[in-house]
Amino acid sequence: MSKEIVAPMPGTIINILVNVGDEILEYQEVLILEAMKMENNIVAEKEGTVSAVHVSKDQKVLENELMIELE
């Protein structure tokens, strides 16, 4: 079963805090998204293993764009 972490708002990826293969916990910070001149810590809503990272640092994302997948 795939779990997806999507952008809650449009913005720019400032930092990615996880890599493929990392085990993450529920509510763990996975990346930082800058939106409206504020840094927003994006957290995982569920625990799992990072199976894919679809964004890179300084990339602009749209609202609901897939950023990270967990398995």
Side-chain angles (χ1 to χ4, degrees):
M1 173 168 41
S2 177
K3 302 168 201 158
E4 300 178 340
I5 299 174
V6 298
M9 64 193 83
T12 304
I13 305 298
I14 298 300
N15 198 5
I16 301 169
L17 306 173
V18 296
N19 296 300
V20 173
D22 288 355
E23 295 281 334
I24 61 169
L25 303 173
E26 185 175 16
Y27 303 116
Q28 179 177 334
E29 293 178 6
V30 294
L31 59 83
I32 301 172
L33 176 70
E34 181 182 28
M36 298 181 288
K37 298 186 181 183
M38 293 178 56
E39 290 185 4
N40 301 279
N41 295 324
I42 307 301
V43 299
E45 294 181 5
K46 300 185 180 196
E47 64 182 37
T49 303
V50 178
S51 60
V53 177
H54 297 282
V55 293
S56 57
K57 188 175 178 183
D58 298 324
Q59 178 180 336
K60 296 193 183 312
V61 294
L62 301 173
E63 185 174 2
N64 294 320
E65 185 170 337
L66 177 60
M67 298 186 296
I68 296 175
E69 284 185 88
L70 307 175
E71 55 184 36

